[in-house]
Amino acid sequence: MSHSWIQLDLNALAWNYRLVQEKIGPHKEVLAVVKANAYGHGMIPIATALRAMGMQWFGVAGVAEGCRLREILPDAKILVMGCILDEEIPDLFQSDLIPAVSSLRFAQELNGKAQRNSIPLRVHLKVDTGMGRLGIHPHALQDFLNQVAQLPYLRVEGMMSHLASADEKDLEPSVTQLWLFESATEQAKAAGLHPRWMHVANSHAIFRLPKSHFNLVRCGLFLYGLYATQDFPEGFGLKPVLQWKARIGLIKEFHPGQTVSYGRTHTIHKTTKVAVISVGYADGYDRRLSNRGRVLIHGQYAPVVGRVTMDHIMVDVGSIPGAEQGDEVVLIGSQGDLQIRVEDMAQWLDTISYEVVCGIGPRVRTCLIAQSVGGPTVGLQPGS
Ligand SMILES: *Cc1c(COP(=O)(O)O)cnc(C)c1O
C-alpha cells in the first residue's frame, strides 16, 4: 500500500491535447515535451497515453531520457532538446533520436559518426534568438548554416528556437525573437537548407502568440493542464492531469505548550488533534511549506504545522473531528468542493508550477490512472 501517490487523469490529458490542436489549427503538429519524467507526472504512462492519442513527436532534455522513451515508443519521433556530450552520440544512433544542434563542432562530430556508420542522421538546428541558453547566435548563423549545408551525412529536418518570456506580461521581446527566427529561416534557405519543421512555441506562446506556431509547437506545461503561475486569469480552459494524495498515518492529541516537529517552530495553544502523514521533502513536499502549506482532509483545509521533515508532515485536524488513520489526504487536487492547485503551491513557495511538479520524487508511485472513453472517470487499483 502506497502512503503517497499521484493520480493521473488521462481524460484531462486528452482534453488539453485537443485544446492545443484546436488552437494551432490544421496542418500543424504538436510535440509533447515529456522531459523530467513528464514534469513529475511519470514519463511512461504519459507518453504511452499520448502516443495512443496520436501524438507523433516527443521532446526530452537528454539522451538518457530519449533512450528510455524509445524502449516504450518504437515508432515515435524523439527530439533531444538539451545538451548532448560526444560520448552520448552512439546512443543517438542506437535509439534513433533526433538531436538539436547548437554548434558547428558538434554538427561535425555527428556528421563524422554518421559517415562511419553509413547512416545519415536527422538533426534540428537551434538558433538563439534571445533565450541566451542553447542555439547559435544570429551573428554567427549564416556561416554555421553554410558549413552545415556541406556536411553530407546530416539531414537538416528542423530549425528551432526557444522563447525566454512567453509567460510574461510583456510580449514585445517574444515578438522580436519571432522576427529574428523568421530571418534565420531565410538564411537557411540562402544556404540551400530547407528544413521541413520550424518550431519556436512553448505552451504559453501557443495560446498567447499565434505567430509563433510555424508548423510544429512544443508543448509541455499545458498538456499537463498547468499554468506557470496564478497570474493567468484568462484561463485557457485546461484541466489539470495530476493529483497528489497521501493517507493519514497517525492521529495524535496535542495539549497546550507542546510543540510539533524539528526546531519546535509550532507551539500548541489549545488542545487539538494532529495528523501525521507519510510524505516529506524526500518525496518533493518542499521544506519551505513548513507552517505554510495546507492539505485537504474530508473536504476541508488543514494547515501544515511545524517543519516538513524528510518523511513526514504534520497537519492540525482539530477542526476535522472525523479524521482517522487511513483517511485520504489531498496534497494537490480536489476533494469535495475545495481544491489545492499546483499554482497555489507554487505561490506558497514563491516559485513556478514547473518546479513544484518536477520535484515530486521517485518514492511517490503513480498508482492510480483514471481513463475513460466518454464515460465517467474510473480509477484502477494501486500498483498498476
Ligand atoms: C521545456 C521546453 C519546452 C516546453 O515548455 P512548456 O512551457 O512546458 O511548454 C519547449 N521547448 C524547449 C526547448 C524546452 O526546453
Side-chain angles (χ1 to χ4, degrees):
M1 172 63 71
S2 292
H3 286 237
S4 164
W5 66 96
I6 56 178
Q7 186 169 317
L8 301 176
D9 182 348
L10 299 180
N11 297 321
L13 184 68
W15 171 271
N16 299 332
Y17 180 23
R18 202 171 54 234
L19 274 187
V20 170
Q21 283 178 312
E22 280 169 11
K23 192 73 200 171
I24 62 174
H27 315 301
K28 295 174 189 179
E29 295 193 15
V30 182
L31 176 150
V33 179
V34 294
K35 62 193 179 191
N37 199 26
Y39 294 36
H41 290 59
M43 183 174 75
I44 290 176
I46 292 288
T48 306
L50 286 169
R51 186 77 190 97
M53 293 169 201
M55 185 75 75
Q56 310 266 358
W57 287 93
F58 292 83
V60 293
V63 171
E65 287 177 341
C67 293
R68 218 171 313 128
L69 190 56
R70 177 58 76 208
E71 287 172 21
I72 57 159
L73 302 182
D75 58 356
K77 291 183 266 195
I78 303 177
L79 178 68
V80 180
M81 304 185 298
C83 295
I84 301 170
L85 298 172
D86 289 358
E87 67 220 52
E88 295 176 305
I89 292 175
D91 290 338
L92 290 176
F93 287 88
Q94 185 91 34
S95 294
D96 188 21
L97 307 176
I98 306 170
V101 175
S102 292
S103 79
L104 182 60
R105 191 202 66 78
F106 190 62
Q108 288 164 337
E109 265 327 302
L110 291 173
N111 182 67
K113 182 69 181 169
Q115 190 153 18
R116 284 191 292 282
N117 292 350
S118 303
I119 307 172
L121 184 70
R122 289 179 291 176
V123 299
H124 287 213
L125 304 180
K126 195 159 189 176
V127 189
D128 188 350
T129 56
M131 172 63 194
R133 192 173 63 179
L134 299 177
I136 309 279
H137 276 131
H139 69 82
L141 187 64
Q142 192 66 64
D143 183 49
F144 169 77
L145 293 169
N146 292 342
Q147 300 215 47
V148 167
Q150 304 307 314
L151 300 173
Y153 278 83
L154 295 192
R155 299 277 175 273
V156 179
E157 178 200 76
M159 192 149 169
M160 63 188 286
S161 190
H162 193 42
L163 298 171
S165 49
D167 57 351
E168 280 169 23
K169 239 193 207 92
D170 183 6
L171 284 173
E172 210 41 48
S174 302
V175 171
T176 303
Q177 284 195 259
L178 293 181
W179 180 82
L180 283 169
F181 184 72
E182 280 182 32
S183 53
T185 64
E186 293 301 320
Q187 288 177 278
K189 270 188 222 146
L193 295 167
H194 300 280
R196 165 82 177 78
W197 301 102
M198 302 286 186
H199 47 112
V200 178
N202 57 10
S203 291
H204 289 81
I206 292 168
F207 281 70
R208 303 179 76 214
L209 272 171
K211 270 201 142 99
S212 68
H213 294 169
F214 297 93
N215 59 3
L216 182 65
V217 300
R218 303 187 304 267
C219 189
L221 199 69
F222 281 11
L223 284 176
Y224 308 110
L226 304 175
Y227 301 93
T229 64
Q230 290 179 330
D231 302 339
F232 284 89
E234 55 266 60
F236 301 121
L238 304 163
K239 296 182 180 176
V241 171
L242 172 144
Q243 296 194 82
W244 186 7
K245 297 182 176 178
R247 283 178 197 283
I248 296 179
L250 179 73
I251 297 267
K252 238 165 86 170
E253 201 166 80
F254 275 71
H255 298 285
Q258 292 178 320
T259 61
V260 180
S261 195
Y262 289 123
R264 304 162 182 271
T265 58
H266 179 80
T267 304
I268 302 292
H269 293 297
K270 183 171 128 240
T271 296
T272 190
K273 280 186 177 157
V274 168
V276 182
I277 298 159
S278 304
V279 69
Y281 59 75
D283 304 295
Y285 200 88
D286 200 289
R287 189 168 171 277
R288 291 169 293 168
L289 293 168
S290 299
N291 292 308
R292 185 179 303 174
R294 59 183 184 178
V295 304
L296 280 166
I297 296 171
H298 290 209
Q300 281 178 255
Y301 291 118
V304 173
V305 290
R307 289 212 179 123
V308 170
T309 72
M310 188 184 290
D311 309 307
H312 299 99
I313 61 172
M314 274 58 77
V315 302
D316 191 320
V317 289
S319 60
I320 309 172
E324 283 185 46
Q325 187 200 40
D327 288 353
E328 183 179 278
V329 180
V330 173
L331 309 171
I332 290 172
S334 56
Q335 200 181 50
D337 299 329
L338 301 179
Q339 57 172 343
I340 295 170
R341 298 178 312 156
V342 174
E343 293 83 354
D344 300 328
M345 196 176 272
Q347 158 101 3
W348 302 336
L349 289 166
D350 192 22
T351 186
I352 50 176
S353 297
Y354 299 84
E355 191 185 3
V356 170
V357 283
C358 286
I360 299 175
R363 204 161 62 176
V364 180
R365 303 229 341 257
T366 308
C367 282
L368 288 154
I369 300 178
Q371 183 173 34
S372 70
V373 184
T377 301
V378 183
L380 302 179
Q381 276 311 297
S384 59

